[in-house]
Amino acid sequence: MENCLFCKIIRGEIPSTRVYEDDKTYAFRDIAPMAPTHVLVVPKAHIADCSAVTPENSGIVAHIFEVIPGIAKAEGLENGYRVVSNCGPDAGQTVQHLHFHILGGKPLTLEMA
Ligand code: 5GP
Ligand code: ZN
């Protein structure tokens, strides 16, 4: 996707602080952290949001959840963490590329960090 912010980050056209990368996923620090640790994990292939997950592309979601524990461990989140994905306007989604927030490093309230 030419003009997608996270596609540009994945392509390296916009700088980011990489936390984890493999052939299918990229994880980087959120530019406006809402917790001491705030990492975004995204599929390298463009998927707009949770509503665009299908039987054909859902394998990447499973893969992301397979790598999240390792990212959390590397970030020192042994006391727990939250995984959040905002979908659509009512959820406050601002970037239309599927992403999972990993939040932790302090006791989190029930609001989005
Ligand atoms: P959403 O609101 O769509 O669930 O999450 C989008 C997230 O992307 C926000 O937490 C926001 O701070 C983050 N973000 C927006 N632009 C950039 C950017 O250029 N670089 C990084 N690292 N994060 C960004
Ligand atoms: Zn994208």
Side-chain angles (χ1 to χ4, degrees):
M1 292 285 282
E2 191 68 24
N3 288 318
C4 168
L5 175 67
F6 287 173
C7 283
K8 287 182 180 175
I9 285 177
I10 292 161
R11 290 197 295 265
E13 295 167 15
I14 293 174
S16 63
T17 304
R18 181 176 58 187
V19 169
Y20 173 85
E21 183 171 16
D22 62 34
D23 58 331
K24 297 189 283 287
T25 70
Y26 186 65
F28 55 103
R29 298 202 186 282
D30 195 292
I31 202 168
M34 300 180 83
T37 294
H38 190 166
V39 171
L40 300 172
V41 191
V42 305
K44 286 188 171 177
H46 181 89
I47 298 172
D49 58 29
C50 290
S51 292
V53 174
T54 67
E56 287 69 40
N57 65 19
S58 63
I60 186 58
V61 179
H63 180 72
I64 284 173
F65 275 82
E66 287 166 8
V67 303
I68 281 174
I71 294 171
K73 188 169 186 190
E75 292 291 317
L77 302 180
E78 59 281 327
N79 218 33
Y81 55 92
R82 180 174 294 156
V83 181
V84 174
S85 188
N86 296 315
C87 184
D90 277 4
Q93 183 181 10
T94 58
V95 180
Q96 313 309 314
H97 180 127
L98 180 64
H99 53 282
F100 296 89
H101 300 254
I102 303 176
L103 297 148
K106 69 172 186 183
L108 300 168
T109 61
L110 274 181
E111 293 80 44
M112 159 71 180

